[in-house]
């Protein structure tokens, strides 16, 4: 039977029956290419198996059956374990995505070495570098003595056969999934169907042998090779490794986790000896802060269970352009637009004739709505030229009415601020039992905060709660 060509988006995996310039599923341009090896999402041995009219009967189990918590193996890297939800779960599959050169291979050879040093069988399969290159890096990181089993291999059938010999590895790292290819799929390595088919074969191995599998996935912007999104739905945990090339720290952020929370982050610093864990990231993010400058506010945020203080910087300057500029780094531009609109509508702050720049210091990316108040404070401070009290932190979500809305985990935020020497906190009412730890200033409405900042450093009456 003649096979119709199929076309697949190399970024998100959407399948089309004809070529198109723009993928309708993810909006990517020029990402749809012919991918005729695709037999749909089930490509792989299942698709090539001769059809059986009658299925095999398998045992069904009760939901109330024996329930053992998944035993985990800690990798002895606290930041990595935190993101996984407490260590490696046997048979689980973790996808780690990130830009090329961000440090994925460095992190994973370090993790592999730590786990191997604990007396477990660990295999590190590189499809990108020769064994000598991986060894050279491990040598430079001081890990050469770790009993990690190394190979440079890209054929999935060979990899599965090799790993199946002897005791199954506790951990196998595949660097990267885009370089792998399986004989069951016709198309070229790096295409959607190859990446999917290879991932499926490796995942099947992990599930049947109880091996924790880490797949590295490059994020690709040009869509020439399939991105990690193509396999996201097949794995148990998806984490992205992020950072700016200009900064030394890197953040591992879980986006999906079947065995743990998804809002945890792990913070690392890239050094000449590899990635070092950063147990107290607030100190790192606040290092080198300029206290007397208007336009900077410290946000007391939460990343999962951990409080994190970061500096938000704003610059408001009169514009000569017809349409003033709004530029944001590290925060959601539509939230900035909302905060600017609320400042204008409910607090009398007119920024229509000003360019506005907002930057989260250190290259951190903030997603919490609780950052609204800190951003607003930084903006007002920059506009008025009045520096904010240096020993203060800010948190609170701003509603469209200008009301400052409560946020979660206020005690943890205030405690972290107090630990780092911040004596006062600006937040929504009621600030509750956290009150003993710092001087708290509760504001119910954005206009009250603006009046407070504009009045300079005059100390306010402590708000009633
Ligand atoms: P790498 O782990 O190869 O990135 P990826 O696998 O995500 O593509 O990291 C490469 C970068 O890390 C490279 O720019 C050099 C830097 N690096 C250090 O700064 N210190 C080190 O000890 C190592 C091994 C790498
Ligand atoms: Mg690499």
């Amino acid at each position: 039977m003649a096979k119709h060509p199929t076309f697949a988006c190399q970024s998100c995996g959407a399948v089309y029956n004809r070529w198109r310039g723009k993928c309708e599923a993810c909006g990517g341009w020029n990402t749809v290419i012919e991918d005729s090896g695709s037999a749909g999402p089930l490509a792989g041995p299942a698709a090539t198996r001769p059809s059986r009219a009658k299925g095999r009967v398998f045992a069904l189990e009760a939901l109330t059956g024996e329930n053992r918590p998944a035993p985990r193996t800690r990798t002895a890297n606290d930041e990595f374990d935190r993101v996984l939800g407490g260590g490696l779960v046997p048979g689980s599959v973790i996808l780690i995505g990130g830009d090329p050169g961000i440090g994925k291979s460095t992190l994973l050879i370090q993790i592999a070495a730590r786990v191997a040093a604990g007396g477990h069988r660990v295999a590190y399969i590189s499809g990108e570098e020769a064994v000598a290159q991986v060894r050279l890096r491990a040598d430079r990181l001081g890990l050469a003595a770790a009993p990690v089993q190394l190979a440079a291999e890209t054929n999935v059938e060979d990899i599965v056969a090799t790993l199946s010999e002897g005791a199954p590895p506790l951990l196998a790292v595949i660097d990267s999934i885009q370089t792998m290819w399986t004989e069951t799929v016709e198309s070229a390595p790096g295409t959607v169907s190859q990446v999917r088919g290879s991932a499926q074969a490796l995942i099947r191995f992990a599930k049947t042998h109880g091996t924790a599998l880490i797949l590295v996935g490059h994020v690709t912007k040009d869509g020439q090779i399939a991105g990690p999104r193509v396999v996201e739905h097949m794995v148990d945990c998806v984490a992205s490794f992020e950072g700016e090339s200009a900064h030394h720290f890197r953040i591992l952020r879980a986006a999906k986790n079947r065995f743990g929370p998804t809002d945890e982050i792990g913070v690392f610093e890239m050094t000449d000896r590899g990635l070092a864990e950063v147990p107290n990231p607030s100190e790192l993010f606040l290092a080198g802060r300029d206290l007397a400058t208007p336009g900077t506010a410290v946000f007391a945020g939460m990343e999962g269970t951990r409080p994190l203080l970061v500096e938000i910087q704003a610059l408001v300057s009169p514009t000569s352009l017809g349409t003033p500029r709004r530029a944001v780094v590290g925060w959601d531009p539509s939230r900035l637009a909302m905060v600017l609109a609320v400042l204008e509508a409910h607090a009398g702050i007119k920024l229509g004739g000003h360019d506005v720049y907002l930057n989260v210091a250190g290259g951190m990316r903030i997603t919490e709505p609780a950052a609204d108040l800190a951003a607003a404070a930084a903006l007002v401070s920059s506009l008025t030229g009045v520096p904010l009290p240096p020993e203060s932190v800010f948190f609170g979500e701003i509603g469209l009415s200008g009301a400052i809305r409560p946020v979660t985990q206020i005690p943890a935020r205030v405690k972290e601020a107090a630990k780092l020497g911040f004596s006062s906190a600006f937040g929504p009412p009621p600030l509750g039992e956290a009150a003993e730890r710092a001087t708290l200033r509760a504001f119910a409405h954005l206009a009250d905060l603006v009046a407070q900042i504009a009045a300079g450093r005059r100390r306010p009456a402590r708000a009633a709660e």
Side-chain angles (χ1 to χ4, degrees):
M1 197 180 83
K3 210 168 179 182
H4 290 290
T6 55
F7 297 84
C9 170
Q10 303 300 297
S11 165
C12 71
V15 178
Y16 301 97
N17 56 14
R18 62 179 181 82
W19 185 85
R20 53 193 68 207
K22 184 185 180 188
C23 172
E24 278 163 21
C26 71
W29 285 95
N30 293 325
T31 56
V32 178
I33 64 162
E34 185 172 341
D35 200 14
S36 45
S38 171
L42 287 176
T48 52
R49 202 164 60 187
S51 73
R52 291 177 302 180
K54 208 159 170 247
R56 174 179 61 87
V57 176
F58 53 86
L60 295 163
E61 292 184 40
L63 189 59
T64 52
E66 196 188 339
N67 189 13
R68 273 168 295 158
R72 293 172 183 266
T73 307
R74 298 194 72 90
T75 63
N77 184 313
D78 289 342
E79 296 297 305
F80 193 75
D81 285 340
R82 178 201 306 277
V83 176
L84 295 188
L88 295 165
V89 175
S92 67
V93 183
I94 301 144
L95 173 71
I96 296 191
D99 291 329
I102 203 76
K104 301 179 294 298
S105 304
T106 307
L107 176 68
L108 292 175
I109 194 71
Q110 289 182 265
I111 299 292
R114 288 262 181 107
V115 176
H120 303 288
R121 182 181 174 200
V122 176
Y124 184 99
I125 314 290
S126 178
E128 305 196 333
E129 293 164 288
V131 169
Q133 277 175 290
V134 179
R135 222 179 254 144
L136 197 69
R137 179 190 283 141
D139 219 13
R140 207 150 53 76
L141 298 174
L143 305 170
V148 177
Q149 301 180 338
L150 288 182
E153 190 50 69
T154 55
N155 181 303
V156 168
E157 281 73 29
D158 294 351
I159 292 170
V160 168
T162 308
L163 296 185
S164 305
E165 289 223 315
L170 182 107
L171 170 66
V173 177
I174 302 290
D175 186 5
S176 65
I177 188 63
Q178 282 120 338
T179 55
M180 297 293 139
W181 65 282
T182 165
E183 285 155 22
T184 59
V185 177
E186 288 165 26
S187 52
T191 53
V192 168
S193 36
Q194 271 295 357
V195 168
R196 269 198 195 137
S198 303
Q200 245 154 13
L202 291 163
I203 292 168
R204 201 174 311 117
F205 167 81
K207 300 281 174 208
T208 50
H209 290 76
T211 293
L213 176 68
I214 299 181
L215 304 175
V216 172
H218 287 298
V219 173
T220 60
K221 295 198 176 67
D222 57 2
Q224 288 307 300
I225 53 171
R229 282 177 66 182
V230 169
V231 289
E232 272 180 7
H233 64 283
M234 296 195 261
V235 302
D236 300 306
C237 173
V238 177
S240 58
F241 203 39
E242 306 168 354
E244 305 258 329
S245 45
H247 295 286
H248 284 288
F249 67 87
R250 303 280 181 267
I251 289 173
L252 186 66
R253 194 186 287 272
K256 158 182 173 179
N257 193 347
R258 289 185 183 146
F259 305 111
T262 52
D263 47 6
E264 291 287 0
I265 63 167
V267 184
F268 301 89
E269 189 174 5
M270 184 61 102
T271 68
D272 55 352
R273 302 271 297 161
L275 286 152
E277 295 169 59
V278 179
N280 194 343
S282 298
E283 279 171 17
L284 182 76
F285 287 117
L286 294 181
R289 206 157 57 91
D290 190 355
L291 297 174
T293 318
T296 65
V298 174
F299 167 50
M302 292 297 298
E303 292 287 346
T305 54
R306 178 161 59 175
L308 185 62
L309 304 192
V310 282
E311 187 188 51
I312 297 189
Q313 306 169 337
L315 178 64
V316 176
S317 63
T319 186
S320 53
L321 302 170
T323 310
R325 291 199 63 168
R326 268 73 183 117
V328 197
V329 178
W331 204 43
D332 180 2
S334 51
R335 278 212 91 82
L336 172 67
M338 192 203 79
V339 168
L340 292 176
V342 175
L343 278 171
E344 175 145 3
H346 298 294
I349 300 283
K350 304 259 183 277
L351 291 164
H354 290 78
D355 289 333
V356 173
Y357 302 90
L358 196 88
N359 178 38
V360 179
M364 176 72 190
R365 187 166 60 82
I366 296 177
T367 51
E368 251 196 311
D372 292 353
L373 195 68
L379 290 165
V380 174
S381 163
S382 176
L383 180 73
T384 57
V386 179
L388 298 167
E391 75 292 358
S392 308
V393 297
F394 295 80
F395 51 83
E397 182 179 347
I398 296 174
L400 288 180
S401 64
I404 299 175
R405 302 164 55 87
V407 297
T408 57
Q409 307 191 67
I410 289 175
R413 296 173 199 266
V414 174
K415 194 171 158 201
E416 174 80 354
K419 202 171 89 189
L420 288 161
F422 291 87
S423 55
S424 61
F426 291 71
L431 284 165
E433 82 238 42
E436 306 114 44
R437 297 214 181 83
T439 314
L440 293 160
R441 302 173 196 185
F443 293 91
H445 197 278
L446 190 56
D448 304 337
L449 175 77
V450 170
Q452 176 70 56
I453 295 170
R457 286 162 176 250
R458 208 182 63 218
R459 286 192 89 76
R462 181 133 155 224
E465 278 157 22

